[in-house]
Amino acid sequence: MASFKKLVLLQFFSWLVFSLLGVLFFASSFDAAVSKAQQSAQSMVTQYIQDKSMAEVTPQHIQTALADGKVFSTFIVRDFNGETILNINQPSDLPFISSIIESNINAVRPQFAVNKNKDIKIEFVINAQSQGQMLQQAMLLTFAVTALLAFIPIFYMRTIYRRLIRNVSTTVADAVDVYITRNQNSANIDSEFDTEEMQSLGADLTPSFKRLAHFLKSKEHDIKSAAQSIKQEAYKDVITGLGNRNMFVEFYEHNIEAADKKTFGSLAMIRCSELQIINQTRGYQKGDEYIKSVSEIIKHVSGTYTGSQSFRLNSSDFAVILPNVPSKEAEHFGETLQARFTQFQQNQELSSVANTGIVPYETGKPLGELLSVVDNAMSMAQSKQANAWHMQRESDLVNNVGAGFGNQNWRKVISEVISSKRVALMMQNIMPVGKNTKAYAEIQARFKTEEDQMLPTASFLAMAEKLEMAIDIDRLIIDTSLELIKTRNFTEKYFGINVTASSAHSDQFVIWLERRLLKDANIASKLIFEVSEFGLQQNIKASKRFIDMVHRVGARITVERFGVGLTSFKFFRDLKPDFIKMDASYTRGLEEDKNNQYFMRLMVDLAHRIGVNVFAEGVETQEEKHIVETLCLDGVQGYYIEKPKEI
């Protein structure tokens, strides 16, 4: 229908051009008619004043003598002294179109007639109303006629056009149907078109279909190769080169869930426990390197099992399918992975690397049900120790122990950590940039099992938040920190302590913290409580109550991970924090990223205007540290400055 629209536009522009030409023609005719009328009026008035004296020139006499009172729009009689004897104004009631033409071409203008012997001087302007009316009528008639001639044929052409499109579409569709039918029963391309059906559909289409068929035959291999390549790209993880979740689902559904013959094996899920922390403290590039290293370990260990398949399901989770591997042998797979992860952990100075959950499978097992069970196994592994694995036994599945067992086990582990106060404190200093800047050391907590094994910190805190036990963990960290500061006599140092948003927004926690800090008022003035920007935004009113209480007891507040949300500086004027800590994503590659440099400079300027100091975290290189210093930030923190260490 695009061609029909073009035809309509062409007709419209043609009508517009003809109409404009008509306007110009009638405007020219109007000019000529007015000129002729002015000449006639000039002769009439001149003859009139030759015959009349000044005393005889009266309005009544003029109207009688000139036959029509509307001949003139202006008629002024003066003597030669310039005194006006008579002034008749008869405004011309010109139509709109004629008025425009009159003003544009200046066709109607004043004229003069003089008789010195009789002391008469007359100025007059003719009334061009009749000429204007004629012009308007002619122009309207022209517009109407050209519009009819231009647009009436379009309605007939539209019907013909649609009918033509239907006929062509039907013909081509029939031709394609015949071609497909013949092609299914014959390999001879040329003979497919030598039929009465094809000839009846139009001989002109036959050569085109022959060329199309030959082209498709010649490109069939290329098309299949391109389709396969596209599918591989859509099913592959870019960072590790492993199959992604789509490929995992397709493989399981075709080879296990809907397999023709009975199969069995083990499914392992590996979760990278430190990815979030590495991304926040060392940058996303280091996080990608960490993921690549874990994937290499997984591929190396699983490669010793015949037919094994490895996939990356999401940012932190991997899946390994071990066909024909029973539970006992799968346990050996878990032990080998744990040993390799522990070795990598020691080399990279990490608190953990990854945990593994393993479950058996058999033909017909729905994928959703299996993933739920293996996720429980993963929760069990995370609650044991760093890099631990857990096999979900068949007996557990039969007795339905697995449903929710991971959460129950985590609750037990967290409760034991709280009751036994099995928390180890580390610290990482913030290096001040200026001499007058007050910086501090951030306290970081690590949690241990009954066997004195370190639990994965990120998983532990996430599960505590999920099970609504974060407030108890925050109390444990604060109590332990205060006792440590008193026993080690660290009253001259400043320490930062992380507090979750759920604790900051809890009235019971705020009351407890205020009483606890008032007991050690001299230590409270040395504490800085860190809360994430995103967490504070969740409840502005509760956040303000918490910050006001902290300031009331002499402590201070840092808004950490700043820049991730969309907080306005009105938010900071209302809450009045003491420090903000820029998210590590702004520090990564800062020496090359001019946009981040501009943003950080802007934040520093605005923060300093309201009395807030700005720190940068995740500083990993000398170049990043240098840029941070040039941007006038107040302090830097990161592995380049100092790694977390025991207090």
Side-chain angles (χ1 to χ4, degrees):
M1 297 298 292
S3 298
F4 180 76
K5 291 180 180 178
K6 291 180 180 178
L7 178 62
V8 173
L9 289 175
L10 180 62
Q11 289 290 92
F12 172 76
F13 284 118
S14 299
W15 167 75
L16 191 61
V17 170
F18 280 114
S19 300
L20 292 175
L21 290 175
V23 170
L24 295 177
F25 171 75
F26 286 115
S28 175
S29 300
F30 176 76
D31 195 7
V34 170
S35 298
K36 186 175 180 179
Q38 288 185 144
Q39 292 176 3
S40 177
Q42 180 75 38
S43 300
M44 184 187 301
V45 174
T46 302
Q47 181 64 37
Y48 176 76
I49 63 176
Q50 294 295 331
D51 299 335
K52 304 297 178 184
S53 64
M54 180 67 75
E56 296 177 305
V57 179
T58 65
Q60 294 77 11
H61 193 279
I62 291 172
Q63 291 179 359
T64 302
L66 300 180
D68 187 355
K70 294 184 179 181
V71 172
F72 303 99
S73 61
T74 303
F75 196 92
I76 303 173
V77 180
R78 297 186 179 91
D79 59 19
F80 274 89
N81 293 325
E83 184 178 351
T84 300
I85 307 301
L86 179 66
N87 188 340
I88 299 176
N89 282 311
Q90 182 71 36
S92 59
D93 188 17
L94 287 176
F96 175 70
I97 297 177
S98 302
S99 301
I100 295 176
I101 294 176
E102 178 188 16
S103 62
N104 287 342
I105 65 176
N106 198 24
V108 183
R109 54 188 180 275
Q111 293 177 276
F112 301 91
V114 179
N115 188 332
K116 294 184 179 181
N117 296 328
K118 297 184 178 182
D119 196 25
I120 297 176
K121 182 178 181 181
I122 296 179
E123 177 185 343
F124 62 92
V125 178
I126 69 167
N127 191 338
Q129 180 180 6
S130 59
Q131 289 84 358
Q133 289 176 340
M134 291 176 60
L135 172 64
Q136 178 173 275
Q137 293 172 359
M139 290 177 63
L140 292 175
L141 181 62
T142 301
F143 278 118
V145 171
T146 53
L148 290 174
L149 293 176
F151 293 105
I152 286 180
I154 289 179
F155 296 101
Y156 295 100
M157 294 171 66
R158 183 183 183 88
T159 303
I160 296 171
Y161 186 80
R162 286 179 172 175
R163 187 178 302 167
L164 177 62
I165 290 296
R166 284 198 301 268
N167 291 340
V168 172
S169 300
T170 303
T171 301
V172 173
D174 291 342
V176 171
D177 289 340
V178 171
Y179 166 69
I180 293 173
T181 302
R182 297 293 179 184
N183 191 48
Q184 290 174 343
N185 301 320
S186 174
N188 188 342
I189 297 174
D190 293 330
S191 65
E192 295 164 9
F193 298 91
D194 297 333
T195 63
E196 293 181 1
E197 292 95 329
M198 288 299 297
Q199 292 173 3
S200 65
L201 291 173
D204 292 339
L205 291 175
T206 303
S208 298
F209 274 95
K210 286 183 177 181
R211 290 194 297 272
L212 174 61
H214 282 295
F215 176 78
L216 292 176
K217 285 289 184 181
S218 64
K219 296 296 183 181
E220 183 175 359
H221 177 72
D222 294 341
I223 293 173
K224 289 181 178 179
S225 299
Q228 186 65 24
S229 176
I230 292 172
K231 182 177 180 180
Q232 289 177 354
E233 290 298 323
Y235 278 48
K236 185 170 65 175
D237 176 62
V238 177
I239 295 177
T240 63
L242 297 174
N244 59 17
R245 188 180 186 87
N246 294 330
M247 182 173 284
F248 167 71
V249 172
E250 182 177 290
F251 180 87
Y252 185 88
E253 290 178 347
H254 284 80
N255 297 277
I256 299 174
E257 189 172 343
D260 296 332
K261 58 182 181 179
K262 187 174 180 62
T263 60
F264 74 96
S266 298
L267 171 66
M269 179 182 288
I270 299 97
R271 180 163 296 162
C272 300
S273 55
E274 297 300 294
L275 179 61
Q276 183 178 358
I277 292 178
I278 292 175
N279 283 340
Q280 292 177 4
T281 60
R282 305 191 190 183
Y284 289 95
Q285 183 177 354
K286 293 291 185 182
D288 290 345
E289 293 175 2
Y290 162 67
I291 289 294
K292 288 179 183 178
S293 299
V294 173
S295 71
E296 290 299 323
I297 294 173
I298 293 172
K299 285 189 286 186
H300 180 77
V301 176
S302 63
T304 60
Y305 294 85
T306 305
S308 64
Q309 297 287 332
S310 300
F311 309 90
R312 187 185 182 196
L313 303 184
N314 52 46
S315 59
S316 59
D317 289 355
F318 292 86
V320 178
I321 295 177
L322 303 172
N324 306 316
V325 175
S327 299
K328 193 67 176 177
E329 193 172 343
E331 292 178 2
H332 178 69
F333 172 78
E335 291 172 354
T336 306
L337 271 182
Q338 181 176 358
R340 293 294 303 272
F341 288 153
T342 301
Q343 182 182 358
F344 179 74
Q345 172 190 344
Q346 294 170 351
N347 293 336
Q348 298 296 318
E349 298 181 352
L350 299 171
S351 60
S352 65
V353 176
N355 294 97
T356 308
I358 309 173
V359 295
Y361 69 80
E362 59 184 14
T363 305
K365 187 75 170 179
L367 179 57
E369 183 180 333
L370 189 65
L371 289 177
S372 177
V373 176
V374 78
D375 189 61
N376 285 327
M378 172 63 64
S379 297
M380 294 284 290
Q382 289 176 319
S383 66
K384 291 182 178 180
Q385 63 188 63
N387 309 321
W389 60 273
H390 179 79
M391 165 65 74
Q392 192 82 347
R393 302 286 181 181
E394 290 185 9
S395 57
D396 294 336
L397 300 177
V398 172
N399 296 325
N400 199 28
V401 178
F405 187 69
N407 287 350
Q408 293 176 13
N409 196 59
W410 264 115
R411 188 180 297 277
K412 178 182 177 182
V413 169
I414 295 173
S415 298
E416 289 177 350
V417 168
I418 294 171
S419 61
S420 303
K421 298 183 179 180
R422 289 197 302 272
V423 58
L425 299 181
M426 313 283 287
M427 74 174 187
Q428 186 180 30
N429 281 299
I430 299 174
M431 186 187 78
V433 173
K435 294 182 179 180
N436 298 324
T437 302
K438 294 181 179 179
Y440 57 90
E442 179 186 351
I443 292 178
Q444 300 176 0
R446 302 290 185 264
F447 308 96
K448 298 180 179 181
T449 65
E450 289 180 317
E451 295 78 19
D452 205 35
Q453 296 285 340
M454 284 291 182
L455 289 163
T457 306
S459 300
F460 183 91
L461 294 175
M463 290 304 299
E465 189 79 30
K466 178 181 177 181
L467 299 173
E468 298 182 353
M469 303 177 73
I471 293 178
D472 295 325
I473 294 298
D474 285 343
R475 287 182 178 182
L476 172 63
I477 294 172
I478 292 171
D479 268 334
T480 307
S481 299
L482 291 175
E483 291 300 323
L484 182 65
I485 292 171
K486 285 196 297 184
T487 56
R488 299 285 184 90
N489 196 24
F490 286 150
T491 53
E492 299 302 319
K493 288 182 173 291
Y494 293 86
F495 291 96
I497 302 176
N498 287 278
V499 175
T500 61
S502 56
S503 296
H505 297 159
S506 168
D507 291 337
Q508 291 82 0
F509 176 83
V510 172
I511 293 171
W512 172 85
L513 181 60
E514 183 173 15
R515 291 174 178 173
R516 183 68 183 83
L517 294 176
L518 289 175
K519 286 173 58 178
D520 297 295
N522 60 325
I523 299 178
S525 62
K526 304 296 182 179
L527 298 181
I528 298 94
F529 292 96
E530 296 191 2
V531 189
S532 69
E533 175 195 26
F534 178 78
L536 290 172
Q537 285 180 299
Q538 302 310 301
N539 189 332
I540 302 294
K541 188 175 181 180
S543 297
K544 182 169 175 51
R545 284 200 303 267
F546 173 72
I547 293 175
D548 288 344
M549 181 278 296
V550 170
H551 285 158
R552 192 161 57 245
V553 298
R556 283 172 287 181
I557 287 289
T558 292
V559 178
E560 66 166 351
R561 300 196 66 193
F562 176 78
V564 176
L566 300 173
T567 303
S568 67
F569 268 83
K570 182 179 182 303
F571 167 84
F572 287 104
R573 286 198 303 270
D574 294 340
L575 297 186
K576 298 180 176 64
D578 303 281
F579 309 96
I580 61 174
K581 188 184 290 186
M582 301 297 298
D583 186 71
S585 60
Y586 290 100
T587 309
R588 185 179 69 257
L590 187 62
E591 67 276 10
E592 298 176 356
D593 195 331
K594 301 299 181 182
N595 290 330
N596 275 0
Q597 290 184 28
Y598 175 79
F599 179 78
M600 290 185 74
R601 188 185 298 275
L602 179 64
M603 291 302 102
V604 170
D605 182 59
L606 293 175
H608 285 175
R609 288 175 185 270
I610 58 176
V612 176
N613 288 340
V614 184
F615 299 146
E617 64 177 342
V619 176
E620 302 293 330
T621 65
Q622 172 65 35
E623 291 78 10
E624 291 172 354
K625 177 178 178 292
H626 174 70
I627 295 295
V628 166
E629 291 173 344
T630 60
L631 295 176
C632 300
L633 274 79
D634 302 289
V636 291
Q637 181 184 27
Y639 271 53
Y640 179 79
I641 307 301
E642 180 184 84
K643 297 179 181 179
K645 60 185 180 181
E646 293 185 3
I647 300 179

